[in-house]
Structures are given as structure tokens and as C-alpha cells.
Amino acid sequence: MNILITGGAGYIGSTVAWMFIDRGHKVTIIDNLKNGNLSNIPKKSKFIKSDIANIKKLEKNLDKKYDVVLHFAALIDNQESLIKKKEYLKNNFYKSKIFFQFCLKRGIRKFIFSSSAAVYGNSNTIVNEKSKTEPLAPYGLSKLKFENFLRKLDHKIDYVILRYFNVVGAEKKLRCGFKIKKNKSIFGNLCQAFFNNKIFHIYGKNFSTYDGTSVRDYIYISDLSEVHYNFAKKILKTKLRLTLNCGYGKGYSVLSIIQKLNLLKKKKIKYYFKPQRKNDIEYSVANTKKLEKYFQFKNLKSKLEIMINSSLLWYKKNKIN
Ligand SMILES: NC(=O)c1ccc[n+]([C@@H]2O[C@H](COP(=O)([O-])OP(=O)(O)OC[C@H]3O[C@@H](n4cnc5c(N)ncnc54)[C@H](O)[C@@H]3O)[C@@H](O)[C@H]2O)c1
């Protein structure tokens, strides 16, 4: 396959790019490096340092034909999007539209789009793909708007919209992974607390969850990469217009993850409760019935342990002493 990946210098895009490269496929990556890292990019891929909306540059540098486009490029910080609403909508929605129109002009018809659980907003129950979409922040809104744009192009294209829940861990051979500096994710912060004896901040202790801290569904990045790989193969052969939740259908609270880490590593992470953040989602868990029609993930019981270990290994390899 000849694959085009946007945002391939970032955390998830680079991990997926490595999977395609390892399995003998041709990969081209577009990334403006705003948040990505050159060292994540597989050497065997072709890299174009460009914004997705810089059509002149893309016209000059891209191949004539690609089989599938995997669109990861986006600004991804939910909290930041509350302050930079216009920037988020511009980058994630308008620029994505420009890029897709360009792809369509070039005859590219098969797309896999990275959407997010953030499209659902706050829900106290497990959400399926038909649940109400009410994003709490511009980040989720930008994803939802683009999903709807894709659906309107329905007759012209095949697409798979993957609504990721929280993606965790690093590439299996530790060749790429999440940002070490300024990482705001829970697992990034946990690694910091673990290796640097820093106090871990928990935002909010009065959510209506089983222990008062917020609950999320997490998915291991290697499983998510397999999902992309398999849908890329499938979409080449069949007509697909799908929207799918990507999680395991199990929620973990912040406190329960700390406890698991303590147990696994015989450590006592110090934590401190901070006030709940604005527009933070208290409970976000996927109904995964639809995904299970295509995938049966193995070892679900040990996934949390695998995700913790993978994150720690990556952090240890890359931390600056
Ligand atoms: N990380 C998660 O848990 C998670 C959860 C849900 C959805 N997602 C989605 O998955 C995708 C990848 O997320 P990630 O965690 O790898 O983020 P990331 O920030 O590591 O990667 C995004 C990449 O896109 C690039 N980029 C952003 N805007 C661009 C533009 N206009 N032109 C070219 N490049 C641009 C950035 O430089 C970065 O390398 C995003 O679309 C995100 O919304 C991620």
C-alpha cells in the first residue's frame, strides 16, 4: 500500500507509520512539527515538513497517487482549546477541509480520520456511536464538525472515523512515543511522579464516580495501531462508511491507576488534590460492541499493567536527567 499520514511526527501518527513501514508499505508523512518530533519519524518514510493547508507545497512534493490517507494532524489539548477556540477550529476543522478537498481533487477517496471521545462531552453512562454528541470544549467541537463534513461527502468517499478514548503507552520497540516535556496527560504525569519523585496532581475529587476522581477508558497504542492497519487494508477492498469507538469498554479512575502503579512497582506515588478544571469530563467510557465486530483484543485483563509498563519504559528511555 502507498499510505499518506498527516501528523506523523506526533505520538499516534508516528506509531502507526512504523507499523506500516515494518510490514513493507510505503509511507509519506506530512507534519508542520508544531507539536511533533523529528525523531519519531521512521527513516524509511518520506517526510514533508508542511502544514496540511499549504497546498502549493503539497502539490510539489506529494506522489501522484495514494491508496489511503490517515489523518492524525490536529491540535489536541482540550483545556488549551478553551482559550484558543479560533485557533483550534481553524487548525482542526478548516485546514482539514482544505486538505481533504485537495485530496479529492487528486483522486484520493479512502480516508481514516482520528476523532475523539471528546465529541460526546459529559455522560454518566457508557456511550455508543449513536449517543448524543455535545462537546464541552472547542477541541471536541472541531472533531465533530469535521466528522460531519466527512459524512456529507458520503457519496464521494470511503471513510472510517475512529473515536479514540485515551491512548496510552509507546511503540513496542520504543522507537517513538508520547512527548516527555510538557506532557499533560495522566500517564505522562504519572511517569514524572514515578521517576522524579514529583507530586502527582489530581484535578477534582468530588466527581460522581466510584471514588470521586474522573474515570476514563484507556486504549493501548499498539492495539490502536492494529486497528488503523486493518482498516486501511479493509477500506482498500470494500466500501466503508463507519464511525467507531476505540476503547476497551472499561473505565479506570485516576486514583485506581495510581493504586495499580503502586502495587506493580512497590512504590508510593505522592498525590495532591487540585480543584476540578473547567469543562473537564468526569466519566468517559466506550461501548465497544461495534468495534468488536471487527476486533477482539487479547489479554484485556492485563491491559492496564501493559499500558503502565510501556509508558514507564518509554519515559525512562527518554527522560532528561
Ligand atoms: N492522544 C490521545 O489520547 C488522543 C485521543 C483522542 C483523539 N486523538 C487524536 O489523535 C490524533 C493524534 O494525536 P496525538 O496524541 O498523536 O497528538 P500529537 O500532538 O502528538 O500529534 C499531532 C501532530 O499533528 C501535527 N500537526 C498539527 N496541526 C498540523 C497542521 N495544521 N499541519 C501539519 N501538521 C500538524 C503536530 O505537529 C503533531 O506532530 C489527533 O487528531 C488527536 O485529536 C488523540
Side-chain angles (χ1 to χ4, degrees):
M1 285 184 273
N2 193 8
I3 303 292
L4 180 58
I5 294 183
T6 72
Y11 167 45
I12 307 171
S14 61
T15 309
V16 174
W18 273 107
M19 185 169 273
F20 278 97
I21 292 282
D22 286 346
R23 296 175 183 183
H25 301 284
K26 196 173 165 197
V27 171
T28 301
I29 287 174
I30 305 166
D31 200 299
N32 61 8
L33 296 182
K34 185 168 166 56
N35 290 317
N37 196 334
L38 260 185
S39 64
N40 278 338
I41 296 175
K43 292 242 161 17
K44 278 193 187 165
S45 62
K46 173 175 170 181
F47 175 52
I48 303 164
K49 182 179 179 301
S50 172
D51 197 279
I52 51 166
N54 187 343
I55 300 305
K56 268 196 184 150
K57 197 162 181 182
L58 297 184
E59 257 167 358
K60 235 196 205 164
N61 291 288
L62 286 180
D63 293 355
K64 284 265 162 328
K65 190 104 198 69
Y66 291 94
D67 295 314
V68 186
V69 171
L70 281 75
H71 181 42
F72 296 94
L75 297 174
I76 65 157
D77 185 334
N78 205 49
Q79 289 297 316
E80 185 185 63
S81 79
L82 291 166
I83 310 158
K84 298 181 178 174
K85 180 175 179 182
K86 271 192 185 155
E87 195 181 331
Y88 269 70
L89 286 176
K90 183 176 174 197
N91 194 71
N92 296 357
F93 177 53
Y94 294 110
K95 285 190 175 181
S96 292
K97 265 196 343 188
I98 293 171
F99 173 71
F100 267 62
Q101 301 290 13
F102 163 75
C103 289
L104 288 178
K105 258 195 193 165
R106 287 217 156 190
I108 301 170
R109 295 278 181 269
K110 314 258 179 196
F111 300 96
I112 299 179
F113 171 54
S114 309
S115 188
S116 165
V119 299
Y120 294 115
N122 228 346
S123 163
N124 288 326
T125 53
I126 291 179
V127 281
N128 67 36
E129 291 80 356
K130 287 190 179 147
S131 298
K132 214 169 34 181
T133 46
E134 271 183 327
L136 295 187
Y139 166 66
L141 181 66
S142 70
K143 291 286 172 185
L144 185 61
K145 276 169 128 2
F146 194 69
E147 280 192 5
N148 290 335
F149 166 77
L150 282 181
R151 288 189 194 104
K152 278 196 196 129
L153 292 173
D154 204 85
H155 56 292
K156 289 189 189 151
I157 62 165
D158 288 316
Y159 62 80
V160 181
I161 294 169
L162 298 174
R163 290 177 175 165
Y164 315 157
F165 281 63
N166 291 66
V167 188
V168 177
E171 194 268 333
K172 275 192 173 155
K173 295 187 182 165
L174 302 181
R175 294 172 293 190
C176 61
F178 55 82
K179 265 201 300 203
I180 301 292
K181 265 195 199 165
K182 292 187 187 163
N183 186 313
K184 294 179 189 161
S185 74
I186 160 171
F187 276 71
N189 288 335
L190 263 183
C191 290
Q192 219 180 42
F194 181 83
F195 284 109
N196 307 337
N197 281 322
K198 289 221 168 134
I199 294 177
F200 181 84
H201 292 150
I202 302 178
Y203 293 91
K205 60 177 172 184
N206 295 316
F207 287 109
S208 45
T209 58
Y210 56 89
D211 61 15
T213 63
S214 59
V215 168
R216 298 278 181 279
D217 192 342
Y218 295 90
I219 180 164
Y220 180 36
I221 192 154
S222 292
D223 286 341
L224 189 69
S225 301
E226 286 289 355
V227 171
H228 285 83
Y229 185 79
N230 283 290
F231 274 121
K233 279 201 309 194
K234 214 178 269 297
I235 207 170
L236 261 184
K237 293 194 193 123
T238 30
K239 287 218 149 292
L240 283 181
R241 277 147 202 172
L242 274 178
T243 302
L244 287 168
N245 283 345
C246 291
Y248 296 134
K250 180 161 175 51
Y252 291 99
S253 73
V254 179
L255 267 180
S256 74
I257 294 171
I258 296 176
Q259 279 153 7
K260 183 76 179 175
L261 175 67
N262 285 341
L263 194 75
L264 280 175
K265 302 291 164 196
K266 303 196 172 31
K267 182 113 178 165
K268 235 182 167 176
I269 298 283
K270 288 178 222 131
Y271 58 84
Y272 176 79
F273 285 107
K274 295 232 314 194
Q276 195 175 312
R277 288 174 301 197
K278 201 178 164 199
N279 293 19
D280 231 355
I281 295 168
E282 73 175 13
Y283 182 90
S284 172
V285 179
N287 173 316
T288 53
K289 286 233 160 61
K290 209 169 162 189
L291 184 66
E292 281 161 25
K293 285 187 197 152
Y294 300 90
F295 285 93
Q296 297 293 325
F297 295 118
K298 290 187 192 118
N299 303 327
L300 275 185
K301 278 198 178 134
S302 44
K303 280 293 182 218
L304 184 59
E305 186 175 336
I306 294 169
M307 292 190 284
I308 290 174
N309 281 329
S310 169
S311 305
L312 291 176
L313 283 173
W314 171 252
Y315 191 93
K316 189 177 173 194
K317 184 180 173 205
N318 293 284
K319 77 185 168 85
I320 301 134
N321 293 307

